[in-house]
Amino acid sequence: MSHHTIDLTNVHYHYPDGTPALTGLSLHIGHGEAVAIVGANGSGKTTLLSHLAGLLFASAGEVNIGGYPVAPKTLSHIRRTIGLVFQNPDDQLFMPTVYEDVAFGPLNLGLPPASVEERVSAALQTVDALALKDRPPYRLSGGQKRAVAIATVLAMEPAILVMDEPTAALDPFARRQLINLLKTFSHTKIIATHDLDLVLDLCERTVILKDGRVLADGRTRDLFRNKPLLAEARLEQPFSMQACPVCSQA
Amino acid sequence: MRNIVTAWLDLHYLDDLARQASFFHRLHPAGKLVITLAFAVTAASFDKYEIAGLLPLFFYPLAVMALGRLPSSRLLQRLLLVSPVVLLVGLFNPLLDRTPHDVAGLFTIAGGWLSFLSLTLKLTLTTTAALLLIATTKLPAIGAALRQLGLPRALVVQLLLLHRYLFVLLEEVGRIAQACELRSAPGKGLPYGAWGSLLGQLLLRTVSRAERIYQAMRCRGFDGEIRLLMLRPMQARDYWHLLAWCGFFLLCRFVNLPHAFGHFLLEVL
């Protein structure tokens, strides 16, 4: 795995209807870090992730991945480096079977059939979904879909794993399985989420966004202890840091 | 509206059928594609008044249903869905073509009725063959076969994306239909005034969903070509199967089998 850092410098982005989404966002993420991006709805989390994957380009400012600016000419390199797991796995799974879906990326990399098969099996094995390989994606449960969506990205062997709301719509068991799986990854991880307990489990560092810029950036536990800061960002402490309401009443 | 959701489920049903592992499913997709095309050309090439000559061709769909272990009733239901189109195409034949035709020396009938019946048989045969191809071969495999047979890349990509977006469109229709149903008065349909905005919503939602899928494809290196898993090379059994069916179609086309069978019976008896 190569050493890839992420640098965003004073990034601005306006949607075509004029809505400002990023308003001077600057951020540096080092190799191997696990960083959570949190913030209220509309704070710019998904837009930020779209900039990292080259799905959107900054109106002003610069986005650099491993020293390469994210631009149309560098996209093939950027997309080999960044693996983006979408918020809705149904958007990510578009082939008729799980196997073909996971093979879609490696085939586009021009790998020989034997390597494709190797990568697909390894990726499905990692997320414990090898038994699902012949199933159509629409027949999978929410947790299985999420696991396969991650496998489709892992098969590309990216250096940086970017996830948008990975635990959305998962039941508690599937959520815990996913957290345990993500703990085993040595990739640089960037996770945009509202699930602050997941952040406590997985990310040493947290970036809080508000109105398209960084409101706070620091150690997860330090930021989550700061209740006024969380309130300003329309967030609240994760359940595991709140005093138990039943015990405190007793 | 509920029918649309049912149609969507049925698309999945056809996909499920194509995922079976019967003898016919395992045949090479290119071979099956050529057989289907040869069958359609044979059926279409018969004279417009021909009826008896077309009947032996029904052996092909019956054989495929048996070899592919396909449920005939569900496929016939699909066929009934397209039957209004078939009937519309030949509806005016009996009115426009009144040439008298002798039927087996027993009675005389207007040529229009014969051509209408012949057209119905031809359309039934070709539609069934297409349906059977989809029910025994996954669409990406058909796409790969089309590429092997030299069809331009752009057309094959169009076909595969059309298939994918058909599901997307129907999923959105299903959601909108459900939302409408929950908010309309029982027994009453949607007011006419709401149809415009509903269709507009459908278009916008489908476009936005399609955009997200396209982005997911781009993130995984999509550059305008859908690279499919390699098909295995054609094997002896695929060639034999192809030759046997093409031979049968030629036999049906150039020998009037019901006629020949009738003569044979008369001679024996």
Side-chain angles (χ1 to χ4, degrees):
Chain A
M1 211 179 289
S2 53
H3 283 64
H4 286 99
T5 53
I6 297 173
D7 286 287
L8 292 100
T9 317
N10 198 24
V11 174
H12 288 258
Y13 181 77
H14 289 79
Y15 278 103
D17 65 356
T19 314
L22 299 181
T23 53
L25 188 142
S26 295
L27 187 64
H28 169 86
I29 295 173
H31 175 76
E33 277 193 278
V35 181
I37 310 287
V38 300
N41 291 331
S43 59
K45 301 187 294 294
T46 302
T47 311
L48 166 61
L49 301 193
S50 298
H51 276 77
L52 299 182
L55 295 172
L56 297 174
F57 296 105
S59 318
E62 205 172 283
V63 182
N64 265 278
I65 312 280
Y68 285 85
V70 178
K73 278 185 183 173
T74 56
L75 274 188
S76 65
H77 171 79
I78 298 294
R79 286 183 182 152
R80 280 178 196 220
T81 309
I82 296 261
L84 174 62
V85 181
F86 282 58
Q87 184 171 354
N88 181 358
D90 279 324
D91 292 339
Q92 192 146 6
L93 305 173
F94 43 79
M95 295 295 276
T97 64
V98 166
Y99 187 93
E100 285 162 299
D101 226 314
V102 181
F104 182 85
L107 282 170
N108 283 334
L109 293 178
L111 298 175
S115 306
V116 172
E117 196 169 337
E118 214 170 273
R119 280 203 187 193
V120 173
S121 300
L124 285 173
Q125 192 89 57
T126 307
V127 299
D128 198 20
L130 195 56
L132 307 174
K133 70 183 171 79
D134 295 320
R135 299 263 297 272
Y138 59 81
R139 286 276 158 83
L140 304 179
S141 70
Q144 289 171 330
K145 278 184 192 172
R146 180 70 64 186
V148 173
I150 292 173
T152 64
V153 169
L154 290 182
M156 304 280 285
E157 296 187 354
I160 301 166
L161 207 52
V162 178
M163 280 177 267
D164 193 0
E165 295 287 1
T167 52
L170 290 189
D171 62 47
F173 185 75
R175 175 183 168 277
R176 182 51 56 193
Q177 275 187 321
L178 179 71
I179 291 173
N180 291 339
L181 173 70
L182 294 178
K183 274 183 185 169
T184 64
F185 291 170
S186 56
H187 303 73
T188 303
K189 289 188 281 280
I190 300 165
I191 303 172
T193 184
H194 289 303
D195 183 348
L196 301 190
D197 284 289
L198 165 128
V199 175
L200 271 180
D201 274 352
L202 287 176
C203 305
E204 270 292 300
R205 178 181 164 197
T206 293
V207 175
I208 301 178
L209 297 189
K210 191 185 177 197
D211 300 332
R213 71 181 69 180
V214 176
L215 177 69
D217 181 354
R219 283 189 62 232
T220 300
R221 285 201 173 267
D222 295 342
L223 296 188
F224 286 178
R225 275 192 203 109
N226 188 341
K227 284 187 182 175
L229 173 71
L230 293 178
E232 190 189 345
R234 293 169 63 92
L235 299 170
E236 59 179 25
Q237 274 193 324
F239 290 121
S240 54
M241 287 179 77
Q242 292 176 19
C244 171
V246 178
C247 306
S248 58
Q249 276 173 14
Chain B
M1 279 286 202
R2 194 176 284 278
N3 291 340
I4 300 167
V5 183
T6 316
W8 171 68
L9 292 172
D10 232 56
L11 271 179
H12 283 322
Y13 180 69
L14 278 178
D15 256 21
D16 288 344
L17 284 181
R19 222 167 272 119
Q20 294 186 99
S22 75
F23 166 74
F24 202 81
H25 284 81
R26 286 198 306 271
L27 289 172
H28 196 280
K32 284 189 272 186
L33 189 65
V34 173
I35 291 171
T36 308
L37 289 175
F39 180 80
V41 169
T42 309
S45 69
F46 275 91
D47 183 75
K48 70 172 180 172
Y49 297 122
E50 186 62 57
I51 289 171
L54 284 166
L55 296 178
L57 285 178
F58 277 96
F59 177 67
Y60 172 70
L62 291 175
V64 175
M65 277 188 222
L67 289 173
R69 296 200 295 266
L70 300 172
S72 50
S73 57
R74 293 296 292 267
L75 290 173
L76 283 174
Q77 277 176 8
R78 299 289 90 208
L79 201 60
L80 282 177
L81 265 183
V82 291
S83 58
V85 182
V86 175
L87 292 175
L88 264 178
V89 171
L91 195 63
F92 294 104
N93 282 20
L95 301 174
L96 300 174
D97 181 1
R98 295 186 165 276
T99 328
H101 275 259
D102 184 56
V103 180
L106 298 172
F107 56 91
T108 308
I109 192 173
W113 282 109
L114 282 181
S115 63
F116 174 60
L117 191 57
S118 175
L119 191 69
T120 308
L121 286 178
K122 285 174 186 173
L123 283 170
T124 307
L125 284 167
T126 47
T127 315
T128 312
L131 207 57
L132 288 174
L133 177 68
I134 299 169
T136 55
T137 320
K138 287 187 279 182
L139 209 84
I142 296 178
L146 286 168
R147 285 290 290 142
Q148 269 187 351
L149 295 173
L151 208 76
R153 189 184 77 171
L155 278 179
V156 176
V157 172
Q158 284 290 324
L159 178 75
L160 294 174
L161 289 182
L162 188 74
H163 178 247
R164 169 65 205 171
Y165 287 128
L166 190 63
F167 281 91
V168 172
L169 177 76
L170 286 172
E171 279 170 29
E172 290 300 339
V173 170
R175 280 194 199 111
I176 291 180
Q178 208 165 43
C180 280
E181 213 168 288
L182 289 171
R183 281 187 284 161
S184 7
K188 285 192 177 178
L190 196 69
Y192 290 115
W195 276 96
S197 61
L198 192 136
L199 288 175
Q201 274 289 324
L202 175 66
L203 178 73
L204 292 175
R205 281 165 67 161
T206 313
V207 167
S208 122
R209 178 88 200 278
E211 180 67 28
R212 290 200 301 276
I213 292 172
Y214 176 61
Q215 284 180 347
M217 292 169 81
R218 278 170 63 201
C219 280
R220 285 195 275 150
F222 178 65
D223 57 1
E225 176 162 17
I226 296 184
R227 290 170 187 84
L228 300 158
L229 291 166
M230 295 286 286
L231 291 177
R232 63 171 173 78
M234 292 264 281
Q235 292 169 349
R237 64 172 180 169
D238 301 308
Y239 284 112
W240 279 118
H241 195 76
L242 178 64
L243 283 175
W245 279 117
C246 288
F248 173 69
F249 299 155
L250 285 173
L251 185 73
C252 292
R253 179 66 189 87
F254 294 109
V255 179
N256 192 327
L257 291 176
H259 233 240
F261 187 63
H263 272 287
F264 172 73
L265 280 183
L266 283 176
E267 275 177 26
V268 170
L269 298 172

